[in-house]
Amino acid sequence: PSKPKYYVLEMLPYPSGTMHMGHMRNYAIGDVVARVKRMRGFNVLHPMGWDAFGLPAENAAIKNKTHPRTWTNNNIAQFQRVLRRFGFSYDWRREISTCEPEYYRWNQWFFLRMLERGLAYRKKSLVNWCPKCGTVLANEQVVNGGFCWRHEDTRVESREIEQWFLKTTAYSDQLLDDLKQLEGTWPERVILMQKNWIGKSQGAKVKFAVMGVKGAKPIEIFTTRIDTIYGATAIILAPRHPIVDKLLRGPMNRKPQPPLKAKLKQLDRMRQTSVKTEDLATLEKEGFFTGRYAKNPFTKKKIPIWVGNFVLMEYGTGAIMAVPAHDQRDLEFCRKYKLPVRVVVQPKEVESSKSKAEGQKKSASVTGSSRQVGEEAFTDYGISVNSGPFNGLSSEEAIAKMSAFAARKRFGKAETIYRLRDWGISRQRYWGTPIPVVYCAKDGMVPVPDKDLPVLLPPDPTFLAGETYAAPLQVQTGMADSPLATPEFVNTTCPKCGGPARRETDTMDTFVDSSWYFYRYCDPHNDKAPFDPAKVAYWFESPDAESPGIDQYIGGITHAILHLLYSRFWCKVMRDLGLVKHDEPIARLFTQGMVQKGGVAMSKSRGNVVGAEEMAQKYGADTGRLYTLFAAPPEKDLEWSEESIEGCWRFVNRVYRLIERHGEAIANAGSFDFGRSPMSEKERELIRRTYQTLQRVTSDFETRWHFNSAIALIMELTNDIYALEPLEQGVRPEVRKEVLEMLTLMLAPMTPHLAEELWEILGHPDGLWNAQWPILVTGQLELAREDEVEIPVQVNGRVRGRVKVPAGSAEPEVVRVALTLPTIAQHVNGKRVIKQIYVPDKLLNLVVG
RNA sequence: GCCCGGGUGGCGGAAUGGCAGACGCUGAGGACUUAAAAUCCUCCGGGGAUUUUUCCUCAUGUGGGUUCGACUCCCACCCCGGGCACCA
């Protein structure tokens, strides 16, 4: 605790079947950082745990008729064994597993806090539904463009069922605005992806009165282009818009007549279309006229109300105004159904075309009404035309004035909407955290009191009994079938009235588990609270750190949106609960590249995994670590190559042979005196190369994260030492010791086992794990400097020769020497030197002409 | 369609406006060995001149530009990878 703290974390793994080199790379990067920081005097927190709930465990359990817990715990044991074998420096005392009640009870606890604050709620929402399975499917289980993965002849339906949500949208603005705090420390593209995901859109909502239907509420539309409202030639509703039925049937709710019947059929089909977005993208636009009209509040003219399959109920208000002249989708729709196209925005005169040279003042007059609209809508900003009192305004001005006008007349207002939606956390699955509420006939939905947490998963899920879930319970509970729906679990008593009640059978999305686990590491065994705020404050809010949060988080880009967004949301909720004081949980984020084989990411399903344990078996853990660090820069994808790993294996052995050869002889040597006694040429060279390498490796580790070039530098040093063999001739033991010790220390973060072994050979029986990173001091720094430098000499930017001069030589001296070179003289001869550029100790360029 | 990355030898890659190809792999040749493995040494972008040595020239996706000098900065385009998307 006397040292500054440093929290380095790799994203926790899902313990699936095999741990492969893709996993390993992630941990190797994190472990280098952890070890370097430790060597540099930090108090490092570097924990590991298991994202242990989830679907694959359940599927494996169904397939093998075993319990998900058994399958998961076996995998955890395997993963742990491999991680230990690779020597990653984790604090195993802090290990967590999200499927343990000691962990997931706090998911429930957080859920209840959110429920109290209105941040958790239940609502009907659209889901993928397979009628044959009688259950909800995850998007991933919808295959072949809309069919069930288990019943490939069955089209997945879109259904509305009650689901639990967390109100991420309550934090839309903060989630967007606080991204600014992450600029420079998070990858730019992750910030951008989150920005797009939140999707802030500024526009206006406008109400259109429905004509001729008694009691019909006005239809509210959202638009970012209120300035085009004079060009609106229809209103188009989402098929699911609640007003559609009323418009079609009218106030009497008559029996459908033949044309109406056809429309209802079409509507039904449109509503049944899968909610999968990929399908929507390829869908042909279609729709029908409802037979009703709305009044455009600006023009006071009536325009037809249509239903269109391309309008989404989930975005905006579920209704749009169609402005075919200025929106491509509207144009396509209106052309198909022969709706009128009305131009209301004219392109601005391009400034540069008002050429002064021509001396002509081009007329800015508007010829809008006669303008032809072709296949492409004009969607840019311009000048309003055919827009009554707003004619001649720029689009920007028109948007401001028309929004204000609408607000004054009370039929609309400027509004900002977001693409971000609330987080649906309900899963009709077994292997997850039970949602801690019960339903009572008298008291309705009742939260489970804190004292009754955790709500434990029933030990025996229904699916272990057979293929189908317990059907009678569906009738009994009226809920969607769920593997939790056993009478023992469902039937309980109401915490309020003590009467009979039934439990919620949904479990939570596993992203809940990973949204806050990194706080739990600070206090993993607390059974009174998710964590002690003081302990979290130490690791997250130390005043010494450059900014609050995990100092360095490392993981794949695949989690750029979901996991990282949910974690940010959770942090803000915790802050508002008074548990933490910071706004953002992750100070610095690094997204490492994938390990690929055959151009695609390693995965068990593709069958291209290279097992981590096999590699350790074959080449040793250190070679495996070294290879994943050396083969590519950490942020780039890495194509697995068995031949390249051989090269690392050779290097590891080469270093070992070198030190083994000299180690015993120099183990008891005294310490190097920084050259206060005279040095041989060979000693001087050795020491200089070693110190220079240290300086560059330090910079590669600390500031640039160029692990691959750091390793290249160490390889070069090793080659240089070999080139000076035999070292016994002309190199004193203490100099050899200095060089070989530094080589060992530099390797330690990457190949810790090798380094420990070498350290012992070099006469340090106490081990290297606690050694300090070497820092050059006065005396050593001078030795790192070159006395003589070789300077490339250019003539007109092309290298024509090199000169060797003492370091720090003055420009005239360098020029004088350069001109003595025949190749230089040849190019300069007979010409005049117009200019000379000299970069001290680096380069000389003579410009002749 | 919009938004991000990225294009350098046979391959992975290095070079933060200053010697393009470090380091490693592969390949070729040699040493050691009865032999093999291991190890060690030499060479390895294209073209040309000179033949022991050097020198010239082309070359970092393509075409322009800025600069004494560009893989690096700017503009346009091509290709590859990724993200988002009938988002009103």
Side-chain angles (χ1 to χ4, degrees), chain A residues 629-630 697 700 704-714 716:
Chain A
L629 294 165
F630 177 62
V697 166
D700 274 356
R704 304 186 340 147
W705 279 45
H706 285 195
F707 304 133
N708 55 331
S709 54
I711 295 167
L713 287 166
I714 297 170
E716 265 185 277

Side-chain angles (χ1 to χ4, degrees), chain A residues 539-710:
Chain A
W539 289 109
F540 279 78
E541 292 161 359
S542 163
D544 304 336
E546 64 180 331
S547 52
I550 297 170
D551 295 277
Q552 185 67 64
Y553 197 33
I554 302 162
I557 186 76
T558 40
H559 298 104
I561 295 172
L562 295 177
H563 164 55
L564 291 169
L565 193 71
Y566 295 149
S567 296
R568 297 180 59 225
F569 161 74
W570 211 275
C571 171
K572 290 170 200 306
V573 171
M574 287 182 11
R575 181 201 57 200
D576 293 348
L577 288 169
L579 294 171
V580 301
K581 292 195 176 62
H582 51 274
D583 302 321
E584 287 292 332
I586 299 151
R588 212 170 253 283
L589 174 70
F590 186 86
T591 48
Q592 100 277 2
M594 286 179 305
V595 176
Q596 306 184 324
K597 203 180 168 193
V600 288
M602 278 188 189
S603 78
K604 208 179 170 186
S605 58
R606 287 200 190 90
N608 64 345
V609 295
V610 176
E613 203 161 23
E614 281 170 61
M615 286 301 113
Q617 192 85 45
K618 199 165 174 189
Y619 298 103
D622 283 354
T623 302
R625 292 172 61 124
L626 195 70
Y627 170 72
T628 59
L629 294 165
F630 177 62
E635 71 279 5
K636 282 185 75 173
D637 289 345
L638 183 162
E639 176 67 29
W640 179 262
S641 150
E642 186 83 20
E643 285 151 349
S644 296
I645 197 171
E646 294 269 359
C648 291
W649 163 247
R650 278 199 280 269
F651 170 70
V652 164
N653 282 295
R654 203 163 138 85
V655 173
Y656 184 81
R657 283 194 305 271
L658 178 68
I659 293 182
E660 194 188 32
R661 198 173 92 68
H662 293 284
E664 216 169 316
I666 64 175
N668 296 316
S671 53
F672 176 52
D673 64 0
F674 305 160
R676 277 187 283 273
S677 48
M679 280 199 271
S680 70
E681 187 80 4
K682 211 163 156 181
E683 287 179 335
R684 185 80 186 76
E685 185 60 22
L686 256 182
I687 287 288
R688 179 168 40 234
R689 293 288 299 114
T690 305
Y691 288 174
Q692 283 176 350
T693 305
L694 176 68
Q695 286 175 323
R696 291 156 75 184
V697 166
T698 303
S699 141
D700 274 356
F701 274 163
E702 284 277 290
T703 56
R704 304 186 340 147
W705 279 45
H706 285 195
F707 304 133
N708 55 331
S709 54

Side-chain angles (χ1 to χ4, degrees), chain A residues 463-518:
Chain A
F463 57 72
L464 283 181
E467 261 290 301
T468 49
Y469 299 151
L473 271 157
Q474 189 183 8
V475 182
Q476 201 182 313
T477 62
M479 295 180 197
D481 268 352
S482 161
L484 257 65
T486 65
E488 299 77 32
F489 180 78
V490 170
N491 298 326
T492 184
T493 52
C494 171
K496 249 187 197 164
C497 68
R502 54 190 174 83
R503 285 192 191 280
E504 172 64 69
T505 56
D506 283 353
T507 53
M508 295 182 199
D509 182 4
T510 55
F511 276 108
V512 168
D513 308 323
S514 55
S515 291
W516 67 280
Y517 75 102
F518 35 81

